[in-house]
Amino acid sequence: YTLASMGSDADTTGDVAATQGHLLGEDMTGAPYSGTSYNSNIMLVKHDFSGNALWKIYSKNGDVDVSSSDYTPTADGGAFLALKARHTSANFYGNDILLQLVGNNGTETTISFSFPDAEYHNVYQPVFVKVDADGNISSAVRATVDWNPVDNPASSYTWGISDGFSLYGAAQDANGNFFVTGNLRRTMHIGENEILAHNVADWDGGSGFAGSAFVLKLNSDLTYNSHIVTGGSSVGETAKQMKYKDGKLYIAGYLKGTNAVVSLGDSQVTPDDKYSFWTARVNASDLSVDYLSLVQGAQ
């Protein structure tokens, strides 16, 4: 599998041109370029063992941060994606499309998002996508992450908080359930369920490290199942990678401590005030934690 962003091109007159993606004979046309960083289209291509493209999906509208997104192949030959998608009022106000994906059969799937007014812009939201063995999108759902301003916002964030989460790991277990992990700095809602972030009391909404690591479990139909979030006190915590094997999730990440306890489930560590590398083993069935380990001074 190849997951990548698709670059954008403007013609010699400076007019906006559509994004063009080309990979091993597979051509894709995404959203037009409209700024220095907007409209980052993505593509996911499945290959055979000789590298030939078997199927592809790609975005034709929206803006996905691939560095804060992940995917996993699924047991049936398809894929599951956890995407960080941005809606910008500058480009899309009055347009309720957060992300538009094209499956291998050409069918378009649209994920919607609406701003309450024109004051909010550049807001990221999580999108979870299930792709079948033929490269067609069988389901796509959106969670909601709070974008309201913090109490004492950084000057560039007075209009709202765009960057309340990152999605760094995706996995599937033997029962077809899906898992997502990463960093959470604002409350996430999925269905009627709420996932609360911590270590955010002094966060100004900027790019500084803050928030908590989390694991979200989804059923095979992408509905909410359960979640866990790190507890205790630190400057911030994040999970960066996750793999599944034999009923267990193996997770790795980093944190910056404050000489106070940090917990995951019933396991606890006490990091110093430097960055530390942590690993954990979590049971996929009920998200109970077998262990949480720490390597001080490593990130």
Side-chain angles (χ1 to χ4, degrees):
Y1 293 78
T2 298
L3 174 66
S5 59
M6 292 160 53
S8 299
D9 298 310
D11 65 23
T12 55
T13 66
D15 293 335
V16 172
T19 294
Q20 300 294 326
H22 308 279
L23 181 64
L24 298 175
E26 298 294 314
D27 297 335
M28 293 148 276
T29 301
Y33 179 73
S34 57
T36 57
S37 62
Y38 299 147
N39 303 118
S40 182
N41 297 275
I42 63 159
M43 60 180 177
L44 177 70
V45 180
K46 182 179 180 179
H47 311 269
D48 64 18
F49 289 111
S50 297
N52 302 303
L54 296 173
W55 54 251
K56 68 179 185 300
I57 68 167
Y58 64 95
S59 63
K60 63 173 293 184
N61 204 335
D63 179 0
V64 175
D65 181 358
V66 173
S67 65
S68 294
S69 303
D70 197 28
Y71 80 97
T72 184
T74 53
D76 64 0
F80 166 73
L81 299 98
L83 303 175
K84 181 177 181 177
R86 179 168 66 171
H87 189 294
T88 65
S89 63
N91 297 327
F92 301 127
Y93 182 62
N95 177 356
D96 291 340
I97 295 174
L98 173 67
L99 183 63
Q100 195 168 41
L101 298 168
V102 181
N104 193 56
N105 60 0
T107 300
E108 298 177 359
T109 298
T110 300
I111 299 93
S112 299
F113 175 76
S114 299
F115 286 102
D117 55 57
E119 294 299 318
Y120 297 107
H121 54 94
N122 295 350
V123 173
Y124 286 101
Q125 295 291 281
V127 177
F128 306 122
V129 182
K130 186 177 178 181
V131 184
D132 68 21
D134 297 317
N136 300 315
I137 298 165
S138 55
S139 56
V141 301
R142 176 178 62 81
T144 301
V145 172
D146 179 23
W147 63 86
N148 291 303
V150 295
D151 292 336
N152 298 295
S155 59
S156 60
Y157 284 79
T158 55
W159 37 257
I161 302 300
S162 71
D163 202 5
F165 70 98
S166 293
L167 307 176
Y168 291 129
Q172 183 188 39
D173 69 10
N175 297 315
N177 302 300
F178 298 109
F179 303 84
V180 180
T181 192
N183 171 260
L184 190 63
R185 296 175 291 281
R186 299 304 294 269
T187 301
M188 180 187 293
H189 290 90
I190 179 166
E192 298 180 353
N193 305 280
E194 184 176 71
I195 306 176
L196 297 175
H198 74 121
N199 297 323
V200 293
D202 298 323
W203 183 50
D204 65 3
S207 58
F209 189 42
S212 46
F214 73 97
V215 181
L216 168 64
K217 181 178 181 179
L218 302 172
N219 298 311
S220 59
D221 60 357
L222 303 188
T223 56
Y224 173 90
N225 181 289
S226 55
H227 76 272
I228 55 172
V229 179
T230 47
S233 178
S234 76
V235 172
E237 303 138 15
T238 187
K240 294 291 287 186
Q241 292 188 348
M242 175 171 59
K243 300 296 181 184
Y244 170 83
K245 184 175 177 62
D246 298 335
K248 308 286 185 178
L249 297 166
Y250 295 87
I251 304 169
Y254 67 88
L255 60 86
K256 186 174 183 181
T258 58
N259 294 295
V261 168
V262 172
S263 64
L264 184 67
D266 295 329
S267 297
Q268 296 183 341
V269 291
T270 305
D272 61 22
D273 59 356
K274 306 297 190 298
Y275 280 101
S276 299
F277 172 74
W278 64 267
T279 63
R281 188 174 73 189
V282 176
N283 292 290
S285 58
D286 60 2
L287 298 188
S288 59
V289 180
D290 290 337
Y291 65 76
L292 173 66
S293 65
L294 194 70
V295 181
Q296 296 280 181
Q299 182 178 343

